[in-house]
Short mmCIF file of all heavy atoms in Angstrom, two decimals:
data_model
loop_
_atom_site.label_atom_id
_atom_site.label_comp_id
_atom_site.label_asym_id
_atom_site.label_seq_id
_atom_site.Cartn_x
_atom_site.Cartn_y
_atom_site.Cartn_z
N PHE A 374 -31.11 110.53 28.43
CA PHE A 374 -30.79 111.90 28.72
C PHE A 374 -30.50 112.70 27.48
O PHE A 374 -31.09 113.72 27.15
CB PHE A 374 -29.70 112.05 29.76
CG PHE A 374 -29.35 113.50 30.07
CD1 PHE A 374 -30.11 114.24 30.98
CD2 PHE A 374 -28.27 114.09 29.49
CE1 PHE A 374 -29.77 115.57 31.28
CE2 PHE A 374 -27.93 115.37 29.78
CZ PHE A 374 -28.67 116.13 30.66
N PRO A 375 -29.48 112.28 26.65
CA PRO A 375 -29.25 113.01 25.38
C PRO A 375 -30.38 112.94 24.36
O PRO A 375 -30.63 113.92 23.69
CB PRO A 375 -27.98 112.42 24.86
CG PRO A 375 -27.80 111.10 25.53
CD PRO A 375 -28.52 111.23 26.84
N LYS A 376 -31.11 111.77 24.38
CA LYS A 376 -32.24 111.68 23.41
C LYS A 376 -33.32 112.75 23.72
O LYS A 376 -33.83 113.39 22.83
CB LYS A 376 -32.83 110.31 23.54
CG LYS A 376 -32.16 109.17 22.80
CD LYS A 376 -32.90 107.84 23.01
CE LYS A 376 -32.30 106.72 22.16
NZ LYS A 376 -32.61 106.91 20.79
N CYS A 377 -33.56 113.00 25.03
CA CYS A 377 -34.56 113.95 25.43
C CYS A 377 -34.13 115.36 25.03
O CYS A 377 -34.96 116.19 24.55
CB CYS A 377 -34.88 113.90 26.87
SG CYS A 377 -35.83 112.47 27.39
N TRP A 378 -32.84 115.64 25.16
CA TRP A 378 -32.40 117.01 24.80
C TRP A 378 -32.33 117.22 23.27
O TRP A 378 -32.58 118.24 22.74
CB TRP A 378 -31.08 117.31 25.50
CG TRP A 378 -31.28 117.74 26.89
CD1 TRP A 378 -31.01 117.09 28.05
CD2 TRP A 378 -32.01 119.01 27.29
NE1 TRP A 378 -31.42 117.81 29.18
CE2 TRP A 378 -32.04 118.91 28.80
CE3 TRP A 378 -32.54 120.07 26.64
CZ2 TRP A 378 -32.63 119.99 29.50
CZ3 TRP A 378 -33.10 121.03 27.42
CH2 TRP A 378 -33.11 121.02 28.78
N ILE A 379 -31.93 116.14 22.57
CA ILE A 379 -31.90 116.19 21.12
C ILE A 379 -33.30 116.38 20.60
O ILE A 379 -33.52 117.23 19.73
CB ILE A 379 -31.34 114.88 20.53
CG1 ILE A 379 -29.81 114.86 20.78
CG2 ILE A 379 -31.56 114.81 19.04
CD1 ILE A 379 -29.19 113.48 20.53
N ALA A 380 -34.32 115.76 21.21
CA ALA A 380 -35.75 115.98 20.82
C ALA A 380 -36.21 117.38 21.21
O ALA A 380 -37.21 117.92 20.65
CB ALA A 380 -36.60 114.86 21.46
N SER A 381 -35.51 118.03 22.19
CA SER A 381 -35.86 119.37 22.53
C SER A 381 -35.07 120.47 21.71
O SER A 381 -35.18 121.65 21.98
CB SER A 381 -35.52 119.59 24.04
OG SER A 381 -36.17 118.69 24.80
N GLY A 382 -34.27 119.98 20.78
CA GLY A 382 -33.57 120.90 19.87
C GLY A 382 -32.09 121.17 20.21
O GLY A 382 -31.52 122.04 19.60
N VAL A 383 -31.54 120.41 21.15
CA VAL A 383 -30.20 120.58 21.54
C VAL A 383 -29.38 119.35 21.05
O VAL A 383 -29.62 118.26 21.48
CB VAL A 383 -30.02 120.70 23.09
CG1 VAL A 383 -28.54 120.98 23.49
CG2 VAL A 383 -30.89 121.82 23.61
N THR A 384 -28.36 119.62 20.22
CA THR A 384 -27.63 118.49 19.69
C THR A 384 -26.67 117.93 20.73
O THR A 384 -26.42 118.56 21.76
CB THR A 384 -26.71 118.96 18.51
OG1 THR A 384 -25.73 119.88 18.95
CG2 THR A 384 -27.58 119.60 17.43
N TYR A 385 -26.13 116.73 20.52
CA TYR A 385 -25.27 116.04 21.45
C TYR A 385 -23.98 116.94 21.70
O TYR A 385 -23.63 117.25 22.86
CB TYR A 385 -24.89 114.70 20.89
CG TYR A 385 -24.21 113.73 21.91
CD1 TYR A 385 -24.94 112.71 22.50
CD2 TYR A 385 -22.88 113.82 22.18
CE1 TYR A 385 -24.34 111.83 23.31
CE2 TYR A 385 -22.25 112.95 23.06
CZ TYR A 385 -23.00 111.99 23.61
OH TYR A 385 -22.36 111.07 24.50
N PRO A 386 -23.30 117.44 20.63
CA PRO A 386 -22.15 118.31 20.92
C PRO A 386 -22.53 119.65 21.62
O PRO A 386 -21.78 120.09 22.53
CB PRO A 386 -21.63 118.65 19.47
CG PRO A 386 -22.03 117.49 18.68
CD PRO A 386 -23.44 117.13 19.25
N ALA A 387 -23.69 120.20 21.27
CA ALA A 387 -24.16 121.45 21.96
C ALA A 387 -24.45 121.16 23.45
O ALA A 387 -24.22 122.03 24.30
CB ALA A 387 -25.38 122.03 21.26
N LEU A 388 -24.95 120.00 23.76
CA LEU A 388 -25.18 119.57 25.12
C LEU A 388 -23.85 119.54 25.91
O LEU A 388 -23.75 120.02 27.10
CB LEU A 388 -25.89 118.25 25.17
CG LEU A 388 -26.52 117.75 26.48
CD1 LEU A 388 -27.43 118.81 27.07
CD2 LEU A 388 -27.19 116.38 26.27
#
Side-chain angles (χ1 to χ4, degrees):
F374 180 81
K376 279 179 175 286
C377 286
W378 280 110
I379 290 167
S381 302
V383 183
T384 66
Y385 195 103
L388 191 55

